[in-house]
């Protein structure tokens, strides 16, 4: 069997391997480099040859060139496809992105967007998800900014200062983690690509050098031809090269391949066989392109058309001169039909985007109109807030708008919502100020109730309690978050007093009545007591009276006010003695503790007293710390400065009070 027969069989097998794609995935419209048809007559030119199309231009008469000027739009279509294929040559994995469904990211929640990003990064090839990640990232940023604005408004409504606002979301952290993983994987992918691209370029330049050497080889033409076919196969199987080297490398390869065909004219059978093989395959490509021109799935047709152009250019060589213009015009005509349909498709999408824009502008106008209305009550503003919230949701669900107005539309929307929130905040700040003032008034009533709930002077205290209950009803609303809490606190203090009052009235015994009468007599005696002027004797006399008072026992609960009168009488007596204030205070306090320790509730009384003393100790310590901190602000000031002296005196007084309180606390603990 001859070499020619073997070549014919090999070519016949290749006829059945024409890869025609048919998928339903999204479109790749990227473009970078310009590549041309391979149909033209081979000519020997310089190493960096111009494109075959340009070579064909030289051979055409002037009238044909004029005709091509009229069809420049057709050539623009071809250029767009060729540029897109040149870009994909640098990273063939990009084509795989078309197999990943594009979801309605604008209708997803923040959590759903984060989950979708995680799935893409984990399950898909990183080079295939770029457009998906960009869309998801844009949607997430838009929606999170809206959430941030909302949280900020709530913060300001609650009385916060704008400079102190901070908001962090677990969903945001989750999204950032996934996006960082995507960026890291993408960087690793590009590093790997760069390494492979350089090696592939070196391999292709080596093929070109071998191709150039075929012209000087002295061997059987069939053997040389077979070597040429092997170089073609190696060229096709070598991976992508850097994008900026793509055209030069391909043009150089094409130039030397055509030189080989010129050289091959010595054996026209081999060249004609190759021309026939290329013509058959290009006719199949044309037939498929004409089928795609009738397909209603426009984007799928255009994607497959890109692949057909790539095969036409990179996998097939020239055909006989008499067929070149005819098949190229036919292929170009089918290409134009498909591209025209694609342009119409985009026009329809543009119409949808324009309609979405109209809807969004109407929504913005409605928000602005609501913001312009006056609201004078809480209920009216609540109604407005619900209306604006519904319009915000409508805005987010209205779909995409033309990209050229996307940012300006979003800015107008934010401005309209911000203007509404500003008026709303102004109203609620005024309302909040009033409610805060009401809160302070009610807290003052609570303090009065709690301070007097244990009072034994029932005649005075009962009237006071009734009055503050009446005042409470006259005070207006307080902030909702405080309403229930302060009402329960006020009610508990009032109930405590009146329950105790009723219990005391019902539980008073004759013994307690007698004790009250005895204490009343002793109090009268004490008031008439004359002191000698001798400190020690007078102190002993007062202590004797105090012990006598203790020994009398308890009085009815509604008569316990006599204890206050007794203490006031003691104050008058002690004032005539030259004693330390703290010493006098402790004598009186011991009497108070004895009173607290008597009766059925002595343990609870002592617990309450201990808690009270501890609280006062903490307060005094805090005041001392504050005063000492204040001293640090007096730099380069003498100690005799009046302000500094005042602070030092205050610290000294508070420390004396602290010492007294600690002594009292030790006395309370000793009672257990």
């Amino acid at each position: 069997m001859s070499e020619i027969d073997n070549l014919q069989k090999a070519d016949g097998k290749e006829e059945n391997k024409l890869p025609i794609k048919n998928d339903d995935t999204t479109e790749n419209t990227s473009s970078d480099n310009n590549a041309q048809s391979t149909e033209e007559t081979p000519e020997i030119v310089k190493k960096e040859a111009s494109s075959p199309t340009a070579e064909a231009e030289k051979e055409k008469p002037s009238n044909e060139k004029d005709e091509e000027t009229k069809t420049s739009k057709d050539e623009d279509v071809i250029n767009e496809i060729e540029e897109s294929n040149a870009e994909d040559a640098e990273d063939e994995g990009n084509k795989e992105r078309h197999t990943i469904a594009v979801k309605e990211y604008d209708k997803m929640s923040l959590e759903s967007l984060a989950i979708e990003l995680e799935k893409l990064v984990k399950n898909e090839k990183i080079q295939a998800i770029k457009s998906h990640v960009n869309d998801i990232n844009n949607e997430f940023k838009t929606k999170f900014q809206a959430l941030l604005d909302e949280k900020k408004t709530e913060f300001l409504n609650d009385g916060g200062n704008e400079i102190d606002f901070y908001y962090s979301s677990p969903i945001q952290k989750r999204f950032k983690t996934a996006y960082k993983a995507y960026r890291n994987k993408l960087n690793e992918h590009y590093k790997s690509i760069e390494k492979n691209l350089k090696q592939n370029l070196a391999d292709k330049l080596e093929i070109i050098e071998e191709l150039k050497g075929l012209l000087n080889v002295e061997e059987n033409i069939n053997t040389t031809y077979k070597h040429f076919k092997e170089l073609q196969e190696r060229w096709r199987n070598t991976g992508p090269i850097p994008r900026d080297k793509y055209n030069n490398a391909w043009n150089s390869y094409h130039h030397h391949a055509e030189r080989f065909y010129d050289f091959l004219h010595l054996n026209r059978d081999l060249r004609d066989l190759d021309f026939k093989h290329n013509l058959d395959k290009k006719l199949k490509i044309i037939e498929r392109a004409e089928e795609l021109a009738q397909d209603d799935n426009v984007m799928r047709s255009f994607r497959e058309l890109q692949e057909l152009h790539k095969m036409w250019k990179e996998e097939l060589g020239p055909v006989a001169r008499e067929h070149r213009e005819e098949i190229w015009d036919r292929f170009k005509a089918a290409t134009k039909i498909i591209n025209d349909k694609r342009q119409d498709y985009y026009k329809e999408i543009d119409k949808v985007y324009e309609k979405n824009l109209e809807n969004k502008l109407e929504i913005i106008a409605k928000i602005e109109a609501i913001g312009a209305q006056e609201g004078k009550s809480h209920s009216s503003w609540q109604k407005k807030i619900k209306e604006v919230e519904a319009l915000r949701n409508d805005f987010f669900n209205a779909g995409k708008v033309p990209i050229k107005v996307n940012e300006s539309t979003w800015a107008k929307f934010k401005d309209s919502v911000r203007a509404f929130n500003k008026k709303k905040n102004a109203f609620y700040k005024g309302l909040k100020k009033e409610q805060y003032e009401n809160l302070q008034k009610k807290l003052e009533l609570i303090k009065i109730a709690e301070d007097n709930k244990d009072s034994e002077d029932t005649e005075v205290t009962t009237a006071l309690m009734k009055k503050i209950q009446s005042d409470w009803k006259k005070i207006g609303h307080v902030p909702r978050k405080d309403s229930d809490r302060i009402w329960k606190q006020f009610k508990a203090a009032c109930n405590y007093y009146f329950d105790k009052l009723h219990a005391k009235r019902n539980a008073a015994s004759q013994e307690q009545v007698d004790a009250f009468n005895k204490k009343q007599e002793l109090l009268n005696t004490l008031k008439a007591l004359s002191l000698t002027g001798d400190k020690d004797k007078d102190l002993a006399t007062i202590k004797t009276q105090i012990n006598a008072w203790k020994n009398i026992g308890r009085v009815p609960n509604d008569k316990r006010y006599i204890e206050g009168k007794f203490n006031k009488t003691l104050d008058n007596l002690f004032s005539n003695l030259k004693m330390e204030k703290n010493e006098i205070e402790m004598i009186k306090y011991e009497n108070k503790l004895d009173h607290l320790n008597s009766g059925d509730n002595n343990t609870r009384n002592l617990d309450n007293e201990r808690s009270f003393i501890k609280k006062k100790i903490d307060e005094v310590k805090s005041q001392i710390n504050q005063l000492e901190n204040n001293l640090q602000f007096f730099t380069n000031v003498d100690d005799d400065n009046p302000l500094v002296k005042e602070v030092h005196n205050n610290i000294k007084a508070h420390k004396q009070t602290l010492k007294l309180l600690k002594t009292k606390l030790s006395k309370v603990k000793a009672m257990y």
Side-chain angles (χ1 to χ4, degrees):
M1 184 177 294
S2 68
E3 293 281 351
I4 299 294
D5 293 335
N6 286 334
L7 287 171
Q8 287 174 332
K9 288 186 177 181
D11 287 343
K13 289 181 181 179
E14 291 181 6
E15 290 283 351
N16 298 322
K17 294 183 180 179
L18 183 62
I20 303 295
K21 289 192 175 183
N22 188 13
D23 57 60
D24 292 321
T25 51
T26 56
E27 176 201 8
N28 174 14
T29 58
S30 59
S31 60
D32 205 358
N33 295 308
N34 186 18
Q36 300 288 350
S37 165
T38 60
E39 310 287 47
E40 294 70 30
T41 305
E43 288 189 29
I44 298 179
V45 293
K46 294 181 181 179
K47 181 177 179 180
E48 298 299 331
S50 60
S51 67
T53 304
E55 293 174 12
E57 290 281 346
K58 298 175 183 178
E59 297 183 2
K60 292 179 182 179
S62 59
N63 60 333
E64 290 186 14
K65 292 182 181 179
D66 293 339
E67 183 64 27
E68 287 216 357
T69 301
K70 297 177 183 178
T71 59
S72 60
K73 289 186 179 180
D74 297 349
E75 296 301 332
D76 289 341
V77 176
I78 304 301
N79 290 340
E80 180 182 350
I81 295 172
E82 297 294 352
E83 288 169 0
S84 178
N85 287 335
E87 181 180 10
D88 282 349
E90 184 172 283
D91 183 5
E92 293 180 352
N94 280 344
K95 293 180 290 185
E96 298 181 24
R97 67 178 176 268
H98 301 311
T99 64
I100 304 172
V102 177
K103 299 182 180 180
E104 294 180 320
Y105 301 128
D106 56 322
K107 295 183 180 179
M108 287 186 177
S109 65
L110 290 172
E111 184 176 10
S112 297
L113 289 170
I115 292 172
E116 182 65 20
L117 179 59
E118 289 173 340
K119 288 180 180 178
L120 289 174
V121 174
K122 180 179 179 182
N123 301 326
E124 305 293 347
K125 292 186 177 181
I126 205 67
Q127 68 270 27
I129 61 175
K130 180 179 179 182
S131 63
H132 299 71
V133 172
N134 287 342
D135 289 345
I136 291 173
N137 187 41
N138 289 336
E139 285 297 332
F140 189 92
K141 288 195 295 186
T142 297
K143 291 187 174 179
F144 187 77
Q145 184 61 47
L147 175 63
L148 202 62
D149 292 342
E150 182 179 331
K151 294 297 181 182
K152 186 175 182 179
T153 298
E154 292 178 2
F155 177 76
L156 295 176
N157 287 343
D158 289 337
N161 192 332
E162 185 170 1
I163 197 173
D164 297 326
F165 175 73
Y166 174 78
Y167 178 74
S168 177
S169 165
I171 298 299
Q172 184 193 29
K173 293 179 180 177
R174 182 175 180 179
F175 184 85
K176 284 184 175 180
T177 299
Y179 190 75
K180 183 178 180 181
Y182 163 74
R183 298 298 306 174
N184 290 339
K185 281 190 174 184
L186 191 63
N187 289 336
E188 291 174 4
H189 170 71
Y190 282 133
K191 287 179 183 178
S192 175
I193 284 179
E194 184 177 3
K195 181 179 178 182
N196 292 335
L197 291 177
K198 290 180 180 178
Q199 182 58 49
N200 293 340
L201 176 61
D203 293 342
K204 286 201 171 186
L205 292 178
E206 183 180 340
I207 292 171
I208 291 172
E209 290 301 316
E210 291 186 41
L211 187 59
K212 289 159 60 176
L214 290 180
L215 302 181
N216 302 318
V217 174
E218 294 182 2
E219 61 183 3
N220 183 280
I221 192 65
N222 289 334
T223 302
T224 304
Y225 181 76
K226 184 177 181 180
H227 190 184
F228 171 71
K229 298 299 287 184
E230 290 172 353
L231 291 176
Q232 280 187 315
E233 186 65 22
R234 280 172 56 193
W235 179 272
R236 284 193 292 267
N237 293 334
T238 303
I241 64 175
R243 194 181 309 175
D244 58 343
K245 306 294 183 183
Y246 179 82
N247 272 341
N248 284 343
W250 185 87
N251 286 333
S252 182
Y253 166 76
H254 178 76
H255 163 65
H256 292 293
E258 293 228 345
R259 288 191 64 193
F260 178 78
Y261 276 111
D262 287 341
F263 169 74
L264 201 61
H265 76 280
L266 298 174
N267 191 327
R268 301 186 65 86
D269 289 341
L270 284 176
R271 187 176 70 169
D272 291 345
L273 181 65
D274 220 20
F275 280 173
K276 181 179 182 304
H277 167 78
N278 293 335
L279 177 62
D280 290 342
K281 284 200 170 183
K282 288 191 174 183
L283 287 174
K284 285 181 178 284
I285 289 176
I286 292 171
E287 289 171 1
R288 180 55 184 163
E290 290 172 344
E291 290 176 7
L292 293 175
Q294 306 303 317
D295 194 341
D296 292 333
N297 192 323
V298 177
M299 304 316 297
R300 180 181 64 192
S301 298
F302 185 79
R303 289 191 298 273
E304 188 171 336
L305 180 67
Q306 288 178 284
E307 293 299 316
L308 295 178
H309 274 267
K310 185 175 181 180
M311 292 163 56
W312 184 289
K313 173 179 177 179
E314 297 187 7
E315 299 182 17
L316 301 174
V319 300
R321 183 187 299 273
E322 63 269 21
H323 300 297
R324 290 176 187 172
E325 186 172 351
E326 175 189 352
I327 64 172
W328 176 244
D329 287 344
R330 185 176 166 189
F331 188 34
K332 188 166 62 174
T335 296
K336 184 177 184 304
I337 293 173
I338 294 171
N339 191 68
D340 287 346
K341 284 186 175 182
R342 176 169 164 265
Q343 295 302 323
D344 291 340
Y345 171 78
Y346 278 128
K347 287 179 182 178
E348 290 302 316
I349 290 181
D350 289 342
K351 289 180 182 178
V352 173
Y353 286 0
E354 288 292 340
K355 183 62 178 176
N356 294 343
L357 176 61
E358 291 179 13
N359 292 338
K360 287 194 171 184
L361 292 177
E362 288 180 4
I363 291 171
I364 293 171
K366 289 179 181 178
I367 295 175
E368 290 174 343
I370 293 174
Q373 298 171 2
E374 291 296 329
K376 297 183 179 180
S377 67
H378 170 70
S379 59
S380 67
W381 273 104
Q382 287 301 304
K383 182 180 178 182
K384 291 175 184 290
I385 291 170
K386 291 179 180 179
E387 290 175 354
V388 171
E389 184 62 27
L391 289 171
R392 285 178 75 255
N393 292 333
D394 291 343
F395 183 89
F396 290 130
N397 294 327
K400 296 182 179 180
V401 300
I403 191 169
K404 62 183 179 181
V405 296
N406 185 51
E407 289 189 8
S408 60
T409 305
W410 172 243
K412 286 186 68 175
F413 171 71
K414 286 200 299 184
D415 289 343
S416 65
V417 174
R418 189 179 293 114
F420 170 80
N421 287 334
K422 187 175 181 181
K423 286 193 68 174
K424 178 192 70 176
N425 293 343
F427 169 79
Y428 278 105
K429 279 184 179 178
L431 186 62
K432 191 162 188 175
K433 181 180 179 182
E434 179 184 342
Q435 291 181 346
Y436 180 77
E437 291 172 353
N438 292 340
L439 175 63
Q440 299 309 308
K441 292 176 182 178
K442 288 193 173 182
L443 289 175
E444 289 175 4
L445 295 183
I446 291 173
K447 187 176 186 307
I448 294 173
E450 291 181 339
D451 288 347
N452 290 275
K453 69 179 182 179
D454 291 315
S455 174
E456 300 298 336
D457 191 350
T458 56
E459 183 177 354
V460 175
T461 307
T462 301
L464 176 63
M465 285 294 191
K466 290 180 178 180
K467 181 180 184 303
I468 63 176
Q469 286 179 328
S470 176
D471 292 343
W472 182 280
K473 296 176 182 179
K474 297 175 183 178
I475 299 173
H477 293 291
V478 300
R480 183 178 300 177
K481 64 178 183 178
D482 300 308
S483 179
D484 289 343
R485 176 180 60 82
I486 63 171
W487 166 243
K488 289 177 181 178
Q489 192 176 354
F490 180 71
K491 182 179 178 183
C494 292
N495 287 347
Y496 178 87
Y497 171 77
F498 285 108
D499 290 345
K500 183 168 62 88
L501 176 64
H502 297 151
K504 287 177 181 179
R505 286 175 178 173
N506 295 332
S509 65
Q510 185 61 44
E511 182 182 351
Q512 291 175 339
V513 172
D514 292 342
F516 172 75
N517 293 332
K518 291 179 182 179
K519 284 192 174 184
Q520 186 66 53
E521 292 175 5
L522 181 57
L523 182 62
N524 293 333
T525 301
L526 198 59
K527 288 179 179 180
L529 181 66
S530 297
L531 298 178
T532 64
D534 186 325
K535 174 185 173 183
D536 293 336
K537 289 182 180 180
D538 291 341
L539 180 60
T541 300
I542 293 173
K543 286 185 176 180
T544 300
Q545 297 298 323
I546 291 174
N547 289 331
W549 184 274
K550 293 178 183 176
N551 293 331
I552 291 175
R554 296 184 64 194
V555 300
N557 288 334
D558 60 341
K559 305 295 183 182
R560 288 176 63 185
Y561 60 84
I562 198 171
E563 298 293 337
K565 293 182 178 181
F566 178 69
N567 286 328
K568 288 181 179 179
T569 303
L570 290 179
D571 287 340
N572 292 332
L573 292 173
F574 280 127
S575 64
N576 296 321
L577 300 179
K578 296 180 180 180
M579 294 178 61
E580 291 284 340
K581 180 180 179 182
N582 286 359
E583 185 180 359
I584 296 173
E585 181 66 25
M586 288 307 302
I587 293 173
K588 292 165 54 182
Y589 190 68
E590 287 174 0
N591 179 54
K592 177 182 178 181
L593 287 182
D594 288 336
H595 177 71
L596 292 175
N597 198 31
S598 64
D600 298 331
N601 296 322
N602 59 330
T603 301
R604 188 178 69 177
N605 291 337
L606 290 174
D607 286 341
N608 291 339
E609 181 65 16
R610 183 175 62 176
S611 297
F612 174 77
I613 295 297
K614 283 183 175 182
K615 182 179 178 182
K616 295 297 292 183
I617 288 174
D618 290 339
E619 290 177 358
V620 173
K621 284 181 176 179
S622 177
Q623 290 169 348
I624 292 172
N625 288 336
Q626 182 63 50
L627 289 169
E628 289 176 341
N629 288 337
N630 290 345
L631 282 176
Q632 297 178 9
F633 293 100
F634 292 99
T635 57
N636 300 322
V637 179
D638 295 334
D639 289 341
D640 58 354
N641 182 282
L643 289 177
V644 176
K645 280 185 177 181
E646 182 181 355
V647 174
H648 280 296
N649 291 336
N650 286 339
I651 292 174
K652 183 178 179 181
H654 280 84
K655 286 184 176 180
Q656 290 175 349
T657 302
L658 180 62
K659 181 179 179 181
L660 176 62
L661 288 171
K662 288 182 177 180
T663 304
K664 286 184 177 181
L665 182 61
S666 64
K667 290 289 184 181
V668 175
K669 290 180 178 179
M671 300 295 292
Y672 286 91

